């Protein structure tokens, strides 16, 4: 493992212990990936680690507002609870979650000072990990043990970085002031988990808010700072319900949900672009019909809209809604539209950007530091940033480099030994600036 220059008083040995523990934690989480709203094993690991460090821990309904939860499948939740129990997660913990994942930890140094928050996401993606013998998780024995699930977006590394920083804060609390809020977020994939946590008010009284993501535009040795960016997005599930009939004997008696769905999909492709910003409409999945000779009764569409601004995204959602309603009326079928995920654009502050730039200056692992005013894709941490900044906080988003050919791939890897230590040190440097006694 590489040794990086230390700029505070703790010994290199203590720092190395933190880094080594972080890598082992990442690998443990990597082997047990859990999709959004099912992260019971990971939530237990996080909560137990935080408690052992002396943090106050909030889980389940104590961490979020259930009415704001999007895209949660109760059947998957129940299966995940059973799986977690088989893996040794205590029944008392599982009962205490009331079926909701996510962990928030708070820590007070006992000295007056700023309140600083970080967000770390925990969920995996639905990808089957490669079995290639050269893939590091395969080679070193920590590949996914759950078929069809993989930490192919690096959230295992994010969670491990958060726990490492939590430990470092405790071990260096004599040099720090103020307090901390660490959000270990469920269901970032599909932009489902940040909203319920934001609604609980965790970032309403913070002075600083930061969040990061591995990779993205940054390869190993690079650090990116997001000043602006991300598309506002809405994830929509659309269903049509028709009337069955024998397709040969009585075709006029049926009402085809499939035809309505196909018509709606084609019309969505023709939604006008918008002069106020870039637009995206993606129909990712369409299932319909019962059989060759039955008028199709059911059709289901999974789609998403993305807009450069919240207003542009709302324009797209309005058009999608009008199209679905019109197709249902034209083909005399029923319809339903469910919002199952949402995120907005990135809101940061110049001071937050500057703090990140200064924090990176003494990290040996970063040869380049670049500012990004445009970040493609979407991230629901944007909802937390928006709320924090609107309540007076400073903050910015960062991307810590890992060598990757793109996320959500079966061969994605972090190169944790080389990339996690500088990411952890970056966060430590941030905390020294925001909550160091000498800086306050």
């Amino acid at each position: 493992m590489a040794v990086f220059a230390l700029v505070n008083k703790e010994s290199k040995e203590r720092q190395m212990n933190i880094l080594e523990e972080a890598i082992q934690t990442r690998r443990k989480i990597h082997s047990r990936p859990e999709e959004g709203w099912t992260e019971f094993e990971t939530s237990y690991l996080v909560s137990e680690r935080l408690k052992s460090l002396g943090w106050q821990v909030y889980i389940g309904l104590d961490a979020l507002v259930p009415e704001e939860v999007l895209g949660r499948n109760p059947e998957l939740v129940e299966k995940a609870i059973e799986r977690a129990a088989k893996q040794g997660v205590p029944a008392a913990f599982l009962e205490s979650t009331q079926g909701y994942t996510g962990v928030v930890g708070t820590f007070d140094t006992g000295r007056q000072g700023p309140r600083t928050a970080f967000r770390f996401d925990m969920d995996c993606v639905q990808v089957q990990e490669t079995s290639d013998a050269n893939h590091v998780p395969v080679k070193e024995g920590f590949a996914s043990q759950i078929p069809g699930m993989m930490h192919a977006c690096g959230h295992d590394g994010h969670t491990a970085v958060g726990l490492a920083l939590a430990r470092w804060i405790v071990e260096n609390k004599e040099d720090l002031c103020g307090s901390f809020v660490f959000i270990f977020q469920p269901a970032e994939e599909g932009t489902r988990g940040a909203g319920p946590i934001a609604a609980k008010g965790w970032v309403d009284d913070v002075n600083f808010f930061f969040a990061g993501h591995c990779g993205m535009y940054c390869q190993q040795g690079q650090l990116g700072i997001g000043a602006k960016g991300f598309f506002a997005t809405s994830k929509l599930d659309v269903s049509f319900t028709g009337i069955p009939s024998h397709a040969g004997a009585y075709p006029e008696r049926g009402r085809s949900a499939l035809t309505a769905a196909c018509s709606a999909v084609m019309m969505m492709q023709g939604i006008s672009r918008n002069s106020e910003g870039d637009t995206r409409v993606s129909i990712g999945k369409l299932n319909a019909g019962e059989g060759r000779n039955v008028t199709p009764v059911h059709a289901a569409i999974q789609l998403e809209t993305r807009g450069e601004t919240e207003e542009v995204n709302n324009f797209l959602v309005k058009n999608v809604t009008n199209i679905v309603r019109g197709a249902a009326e034209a083909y005399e079928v029923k319809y339903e539209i469910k919002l199952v995920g949402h995120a907005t654009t990135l809101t940061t502050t110049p001071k937050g950007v500057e703090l990140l730039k200064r924090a990176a200056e003494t990290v040996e692992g970063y040869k380049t530091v670049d500012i990004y005013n445009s970040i493609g894709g979407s991230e629901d941490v944007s909802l937390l940033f928006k709320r924090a900044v609107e309540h007076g906080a400073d903050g910015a988003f960062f991307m810590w480099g890992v060598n990757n050919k793109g996320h959500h791939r079966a061969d994605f890897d972090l190169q944790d030994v080389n990339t996690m230590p500088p990411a952890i040190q970056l966060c430590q440097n941030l905390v020294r600036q925001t909550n160091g006694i000498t800086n306050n």
Side-chain angles (χ1 to χ4, degrees), residues 306-323:
R306 299 182 196 243
E308 191 171 344
T309 68
E310 188 73 31
E311 292 73 22
V312 170
N313 186 64
N314 290 340
F315 163 84
L316 297 173
V317 172
K318 179 181 178 181
N319 275 270
V320 166
T321 302
N322 290 341
I323 287 170

Side-chain angles (χ1 to χ4, degrees), residues 53-221:
L53 293 170
W55 285 61
Q56 181 70 40
V57 174
Y58 303 85
I59 59 175
L61 296 183
D62 290 332
L64 52 79
V65 176
E67 292 78 12
E68 299 294 324
V69 168
L70 298 174
R72 177 178 174 272
N73 185 325
E75 292 183 7
L76 292 179
V77 169
E78 287 303 314
K79 290 179 181 178
I81 290 174
E82 294 175 4
R83 184 173 62 238
K86 291 179 180 178
Q87 288 294 311
V89 177
F93 174 83
L94 294 171
E95 291 172 6
S96 69
T97 67
Q98 299 182 66
Y100 290 86
T101 50
V103 180
V104 175
T106 62
F107 184 81
D108 196 322
T109 64
R111 300 180 185 85
Q112 187 174 355
R115 190 166 178 83
T116 300
F118 285 83
R119 192 290 311 253
F120 310 96
D121 41 9
M122 303 188 299
D123 57 325
C124 76
V125 293
Q126 297 178 50
V127 169
Q128 178 65 46
E129 187 158 19
T130 181
S131 58
D132 187 334
N134 292 319
H135 182 54
V136 173
V138 173
K139 184 188 302 183
E140 302 198 14
F142 63 94
S144 171
Q145 299 171 5
I146 302 178
M149 299 293 168
M150 177 191 172
H151 272 293
C153 202
H155 298 185
D156 50 345
H158 302 170
T159 300
V161 167
L163 290 174
L165 183 61
R167 174 181 168 182
W168 180 87
I169 287 171
V170 172
E171 293 184 357
N172 291 272
K173 64 182 180 181
E174 297 306 317
D175 297 322
L176 303 173
C177 63
S179 60
F180 301 89
V181 178
F182 277 22
I183 297 166
F184 290 86
Q185 182 197 315
E188 186 281 323
E189 300 294 344
T191 59
R192 297 172 287 161
I197 292 175
K200 196 73 171 180
W202 289 110
V203 297
D204 290 0
D205 62 348
V206 303
N207 302 100
F208 301 98
F209 179 69
F210 298 100
H213 200 294
C214 67
M216 299 178 69
Y217 297 112
C218 298
Q219 299 296 315
Q220 185 175 327

